[in-house]
Amino acid sequence: MKPARLTQTISDSLTTLRKSERKVAEFVLKDPLAVIRMRIVDLAQHAEVSEPTVVRFCRAVGCNGFQDFKLALAQQLASSPSYGQIAVTDQDSTREYTHKVFDTTVDTLLKVRDSLDLETLDAAIAAIYGAQRVEFYGFGASAAVAFDAQHKFFRLQITSAAYADPHLQNMSATSLHPGDVVIAISQSGRSQALLDSMELVKQAGGIVIGLSPTGSPVARSASISIHVDAKEDNQIYIPLSSRIAHLAVIDVLAIGVAQKKGPKLDEHLMRLKAGLASLRSPV
Amino acid sequence: MKPARLTQTISDSLTTLRKSERKVAEFVLKDPLAVIRMRIVDLAQHAEVSEPTVVRFCRAVGCNGFQDFKLALAQQLASSPSYGQIAVTDQDSTREYTHKVFDTTVDTLLKVRDSLDLETLDAAIAAIYGAQRVEFYGFGASAAVAFDAQHKFFRLQITSAAYADPHLQNMSATSLHPGDVVIAISQSGRSQALLDSMELVKQAGGIVIGLSPTGSPVARSASISIHVDAKEDNQIYIPLSSRIAHLAVIDVLAIGVAQKKGPKLDEHLMRLKAGLASLRSPV
DNA sequence: GCTTTTATTGTAATTTTTTTACAAGAACGC
DNA sequence: GCGTTCTTGTAAAAAAATTACAATAAAAGC
């Protein structure tokens, strides 16, 4: 049977493997990413052994042959893409940091996607769908996320607002009606002003949907807490991937609500699109 | 270049594929998990086509052959184990459209990453670095991108502003000095008001960096044009992935400028972080 | 509506790649 | 040191993928 973590099995077997097979193992561990693109001859050459030795190595680590081994390795690497180094250093060329920015973002998105709790999402969608008013609160980088979200939900014919000002948040919060929804967005999950606003929302009978890291004060305080754990390796500079993860989560919420709204919404969006056309350059 | 999300590419190509190739595509989409354990003969048999047709199909979806195809498929399935249908219908479950949203976003990001022109990016970074003032203009969904960008560059100690109001844009544009930079963000690349503002910026001697689709009016009008071709998803009329691509591109610009600024910036960011701490909840 | 042309698909041969069988050589025990 | 066992490589066979080409189907032209 195939082990879950192939590289783990390989390093575990290192001691029991024969000398030549160990050469293969070491090479595989050193550069697994390269191995999945190799043919058996290439790997044999790089590890300085013969081809049958490679096959024997594959069998020794529980695979059914070389192809099977490559497949298993590829799968593992795909699920933990953090094999390449992602920290941004000063000497990076443009090409390199461009790739790093995009790759870290992709990495974060996939991690968040897999860690999302679907029932929570469903609950959040239902709450938004049932609300008279939907508001988005966030500060700093999350303020931009809030405005983006407001724009999106506005297009879905939902009465929505976005506030990055604690005074406005508080004023608006106290005027909410039971069943109304506030989406509190925080990358740190520790913004005191946001926590204060959330408290007012709850006092007014509103539902607070939190978008914040697991276990953070915002997450704990929210009525419905969507956990977004985009741990930033390069937090030193600026928040990068986490706000993109927030945007993506909001996209999911928007689509969920859009689906609940059904076909009537399509017509509305069509008209909206037609209306926008007049603001556009013909070519 | 290998497509990031293979199944996505396959369903996209469904219409352009030949009849027999489509049979292969449909079978692969129906049961991708089985395919990765198959040899080419098996797949040919199941799809009721010949083996060369399978190879042709693999090439048609951007792979280098059958092995390459299987590897790419295996990698994708590893990161989304319960992969089923990709076609979007109204009946999509939460799980499905969550995946769909994240996957298309990832797909877009990787496509944009590979299509970015590095020299243009370098030119843009140099222009921003050399400017006294940097402003971001955008409407609608791009307005949120502009505000996010403003926030980011503000943290890099760059005098920056973001305007989503054409009047403010125009007023600000006329007050720019030669060498100042405006980043014009547009998903459609066809916003007339934005084109007007850009004209004023150029008259004032400012440099316009455009973030828009290739060949669009905004792209043609910009002094430095960064092409972002994020083919927008048909089914929903809300901009989804493209604005995330814009954000990522701006991240790249920010990091580029940050590097040019060098170590002094680090100190500044440290102080900034310390300042923010007081606004945060202790736990 | 028939002929010519082009595009699509499958058959068969070729090439590539992996695996097996076996023998040479090294390590170990006696 | 000799025989045994274990390890590794060579070479042949098997399996798999790919290419070349021909047959057929579809489309365009007359």
Side-chain angles (χ1 to χ4, degrees), chain A:
Chain A
M1 196 47 235
K2 192 146 300 59
R5 313 242 92 207
L6 186 53
T7 47
Q8 190 60 47
T9 314
I10 297 174
S11 34
D12 287 352
S13 331
L14 268 179
T15 48
T16 47
L17 287 174
R18 311 195 245 261
K19 196 163 44 162
S20 320
E21 286 167 19
R22 196 172 322 141
K23 284 203 259 180
V24 183
E26 276 158 11
F27 183 82
V28 171
L29 291 177
K30 200 175 71 191
D31 195 357
L33 226 54
V35 173
I36 63 173
R37 309 246 125 247
M38 283 182 179
R39 303 168 309 170
I40 195 167
V41 276
D42 304 320
L43 179 52
Q45 201 179 345
H46 279 93
E48 298 177 314
V49 298
S50 69
E51 288 141 51
T53 301
V54 174
V55 176
R56 282 189 282 262
F57 158 78
C58 297
R59 302 254 158 88
V61 295
C63 296
N64 218 20
F66 181 66
Q67 285 297 345
D68 192 46
F69 169 78
K70 256 179 38 172
L71 220 56
L73 189 63
Q75 299 223 28
Q76 170 174 349
L77 294 184
S79 51
S80 59
S82 40
Y83 255 84
Q85 63 286 17
I86 16 186
V88 181
T89 67
D90 281 6
Q91 274 72 36
D92 278 330
S93 76
T94 308
R95 158 169 232 99
E96 279 166 338
Y97 62 71
T98 301
H99 272 244
K100 276 178 188 169
V101 166
F102 277 84
D103 291 355
T104 338
T105 305
V106 166
D107 197 31
T108 305
L109 282 172
L110 291 175
K111 270 190 195 132
V112 169
R113 181 196 67 181
D114 292 330
S115 66
L116 281 176
D117 183 67
L118 298 172
E119 286 175 28
T120 309
L121 282 177
D122 273 332
I125 290 165
I128 296 172
Y129 183 70
Q132 293 292 314
R133 255 166 77 192
V134 176
E135 309 204 326
F136 298 90
Y137 297 174
F139 300 114
S142 299
V145 175
F147 286 111
D148 182 273
Q150 191 273 326
H151 175 257
K152 194 181 309 303
F153 279 86
F154 166 75
R155 290 179 80 157
L156 295 179
Q157 275 188 310
I158 287 172
T159 311
S160 62
Y163 299 112
D165 177 331
H167 293 151
L168 291 177
Q169 283 179 10
N170 290 0
M171 274 159 40
S172 186
T174 50
S175 76
L176 289 172
H177 297 293
D180 286 347
V181 168
V182 164
I183 290 137
I185 306 161
S186 175
Q187 317 212 357
S188 68
R190 289 176 20 229
S191 169
Q192 189 55 55
L194 191 61
L195 288 164
D196 296 342
S197 302
M198 288 167 75
E199 205 46 54
L200 291 175
V201 173
K202 287 195 284 185
Q203 279 171 24
I207 302 168
V208 179
I209 299 175
L211 240 71
S212 59
T214 310
S216 64
V218 168
R220 287 202 304 270
S221 173
S223 326
I224 299 172
S225 186
I226 300 175
H227 301 301
V228 181
D229 298 306
K231 102 168 154 272
E232 305 254 1
D233 297 321
N234 38 6
Q235 183 83 56
I236 329 109
Y237 279 145
I238 353 171
L240 291 174
S241 342
S242 66
R243 73 192 202 298
I244 288 187
H246 284 159
L247 286 171
V249 171
I250 286 171
D251 285 347
V252 172
L253 295 179
I255 294 204
V257 173
Q259 283 199 358
K260 263 197 158 51
K261 284 226 163 195
K264 278 181 204 163
L265 185 65
D266 287 347
E267 289 170 34
H268 167 71
L269 288 170
M270 286 295 200
R271 282 199 303 278
L272 207 80
K273 209 172 184 182
L276 278 174
S278 65
L279 299 173
R280 296 221 164 120
S281 152
V283 186

Side-chain angles (χ1 to χ4, degrees), chain B residues 19 39-40 52 55 59 65-67:
Chain B
K19 198 163 41 162
R39 302 166 311 167
I40 195 168
V55 176
R59 302 254 158 87
F66 181 67
Q67 286 296 347

